[in-house]
Amino acid sequence: MKTVELIEQGRFLGEEFLLWLWMRGFTNGGTSGQDGDTSACFIHDEVVLVSEWGDVKELSLRKGNPQESREAFEALSRGMRPNKAKLHIISGDLEWAFMLGATQLDVAAMKLPPTQAKDLHGRLSDRMFLLEEGIAHLERRFALFLERRAKDSDSFKGDLVAWIKDGLVTSKNLQ
């Protein structure tokens, strides 16, 4: 099997992960739900939705609160799936911002928290640590996502569908 075909077959997992992060940002304050983890993760400022059918194949929502918009929930209710999103992870006074692509779970354009080191070696060391820490927050969430999805797939998908329906109703009422 070709690499592209393998990626396409596994793409749904990245899309569901983004959708799950989106839902947790609304329903659980972005927390991971793991004991001792006080960090939060939110979709913020940009989300790209895709579909293989219909007139619109890609919908890019930016600026303001696209993750809360009526357009986003209408697209989700029509079967569009998140393909890329800008995420913010906050842990204490540290904050990371980056784009996460669903197809290969690729992280791009990560903005790291500022470093306090003055010398070049210290700044490099701090930035490497902060990069690893930001990725570790994301990896912990992905592991939890996989665990919950594997535990009861039907219930997991039902929760996502119910959240989309609730978001659609709520966003229409705000208009």
Side-chain angles (χ1 to χ4, degrees):
M1 192 171 282
K2 295 181 181 178
T3 304
V4 173
E5 292 171 341
L6 290 171
I7 290 170
E8 284 299 314
Q9 287 179 358
R11 181 180 69 185
F12 76 93
L13 206 54
E15 293 169 346
E16 282 186 18
F17 179 52
L18 279 176
L19 191 58
W20 181 76
L21 287 173
W22 191 346
M23 180 183 74
R24 287 201 63 87
F26 274 82
T27 60
N28 297 80
T31 62
S32 70
Q34 290 181 313
D35 290 337
D37 184 6
T38 59
S39 67
C41 179
F42 301 93
I43 288 185
H44 180 72
D45 198 39
E46 184 174 353
V47 64
V48 177
L49 301 158
V50 297
S51 178
E52 280 88 34
W53 55 85
D55 294 333
V56 177
K57 305 288 187 213
E58 182 175 294
L59 178 63
S60 181
L61 302 169
R62 299 174 189 203
K63 307 294 180 199
N65 289 322
Q67 70 279 6
E68 298 178 21
S69 70
R70 185 184 85 244
E71 294 84 359
F73 283 101
E74 285 178 355
L76 290 171
S77 71
R78 290 191 317 265
M80 293 188 90
R81 301 169 320 274
N83 184 49
K84 190 186 307 182
K86 185 173 184 179
L87 298 178
H88 280 234
I89 295 178
I90 301 168
S91 179
D93 60 348
L94 301 176
E95 182 176 347
W96 294 262
F98 56 93
M99 292 297 293
L100 180 64
T103 305
Q104 297 181 6
L105 291 175
D106 55 324
V107 173
M110 183 177 275
K111 182 180 178 200
L112 301 174
T115 178
Q116 301 300 320
K118 302 293 181 203
D119 65 310
L120 182 60
H121 179 70
R123 284 195 314 266
L124 180 59
S125 179
D126 284 356
R127 291 182 61 77
M128 291 301 294
F129 170 78
L130 291 168
L131 178 62
E132 290 172 357
E133 187 68 18
I135 296 297
H137 282 290
L138 189 61
E139 287 175 344
R140 284 191 295 275
R141 281 176 169 74
F142 189 65
L144 184 62
F145 158 77
L146 290 175
E147 178 185 314
R148 293 202 175 153
R149 189 183 188 286
K151 190 175 188 179
D152 187 356
S153 181
D154 291 335
S155 175
F156 181 84
K157 288 181 181 180
D159 290 345
L160 291 175
V161 169
W163 171 74
I164 291 169
K165 287 179 182 177
D166 287 345
L168 186 59
V169 170
T170 302
S171 66
K172 282 185 179 179
N173 290 338
L174 294 175
Q175 295 296 320

